[in-house]
Amino acid sequence: MSPHILILGGTTEARELAAALASRPGWRVTTSLAGRVTRPGAVAGEVRVGGFGGAEGLADWLREEQVDALVDATHPFARAITAHAARAAAATGVPSVVLRRPGWRPGPGDRWHPVDSLDEAARLLPGLGRRVFLTTGRMELAAFARLTALHFVVRSVELPEPPLPPHTEVLLARGPFTVADESALLHEHRIDVLVTKDSGAAATSAKLTAARELALPVVVVRRPALPDGVTAVPDVAGVQRWLDLTPR
């Protein structure tokens, strides 16, 4: 019987995994996208867009579509959907795994300030700089809205959602970016502090190298912890090995 794999997507790794699994003869691969980006990249196999209606809705979908395995390949900061996926898998007995790229680690010369939330990042900023390069995504900028004395340069693929800090410059751009790109941006906008989430992956790490070379402080928001009891692997190859070893 052909296995049906549901991938909770939205990351580069999710697209790579879908392509790898869709090439297997007889495998049905469905990637679910949240729909927050209006122009997502091409995805192999079937694609569905939109939420499930929480853990219960996802569990219903797993049963109705006879899903044999669930792969959570969402962004490391997609806390809610990861929790829903863990609960839905437990409720239905569908084997599940979380694909999480390794996080970043500071190196010699880095001036990192790790924090556990955007609110904590906002509290630190006035003591670190006045011109902020903010690369935490477009949907959670309200934490910085009260910082009226700071100037923010916000980069995102699509327009950020309000409320925004009163002095905000928006750069619409899609990566990956080189170290030269990031160094030029930091110079041009006279940035003196960087704020980012620990999303991991080499494709988004150039800004960290540029900040290190300029001796800039970097506020790094730590990842949320994974739900208890979940299996996590660091790459697409790890998911493929897990699938090959998982009874369905």
Side-chain angles (χ1 to χ4, degrees):
M1 185 174 179
S2 300
H4 183 194
I5 312 300
L6 174 63
I7 301 171
L8 303 179
T11 59
T12 299
E13 292 87 353
R15 291 193 295 275
E16 293 173 354
L17 179 63
L21 297 184
S23 68
R24 296 189 178 193
W27 283 49
R28 180 186 174 194
V29 180
T30 302
T31 297
S32 177
L33 302 175
R36 291 176 177 172
V37 177
T38 58
R39 299 187 306 277
V43 179
E46 301 175 27
V47 177
R48 70 173 301 280
V49 177
F52 291 94
E56 293 75 15
L58 176 54
D60 290 341
W61 200 91
L62 296 176
R63 296 187 189 99
E64 292 166 3
E65 297 296 326
Q66 299 180 349
V67 172
D68 296 286
L70 169 62
V71 181
D72 174 4
T74 56
H75 192 275
F77 284 82
R79 185 199 305 260
I81 186 59
T82 293
H84 293 164
R87 287 169 51 196
T92 58
V94 172
S96 67
V97 68
V98 177
L99 170 53
R100 282 292 181 274
R101 66 184 75 135
W104 293 318
R105 294 291 181 269
D110 282 323
R111 297 174 59 196
W112 284 17
H113 299 264
V115 295
D116 290 319
S117 68
L118 293 175
D119 287 334
E120 188 178 349
R123 288 194 293 271
L124 279 183
L125 280 180
L128 295 175
R130 288 293 180 268
R131 296 185 64 85
V132 184
F133 184 28
L134 191 56
T135 64
T136 57
R138 68 185 181 90
M139 301 186 68
E140 299 177 288
L141 303 185
F144 304 95
R146 62 179 178 79
L147 298 176
T148 59
L150 306 187
H151 179 88
F152 289 85
V153 176
V154 175
R155 183 173 67 197
S156 66
V157 175
E158 299 186 1
L159 286 173
E161 296 187 358
L164 304 177
H167 304 294
T168 298
E169 184 177 354
V170 177
L171 305 178
L172 296 181
R174 185 189 297 270
F177 304 99
T178 66
V179 174
D181 293 333
E182 302 293 50
S183 295
L185 184 152
L186 296 175
H187 278 294
E188 178 183 351
H189 294 277
R190 296 177 287 117
I191 299 299
D192 50 22
V193 59
L194 166 67
V195 182
T196 189
K197 291 179 176 179
D198 180 15
S199 59
T204 54
S205 66
K207 58 181 175 283
L208 299 174
T209 303
R212 180 191 309 129
E213 292 176 350
L214 295 172
L216 298 183
V218 181
V219 180
V220 181
V221 182
R222 297 184 182 97
R223 299 175 174 191
L226 290 171
D228 292 338
V230 303
T231 298
V233 297
D235 52 29
V236 169
V239 174
Q240 292 180 289
R241 287 191 294 270
W242 176 84
L243 285 168
D244 290 337
L245 295 171
T246 299
R248 291 180 295 277

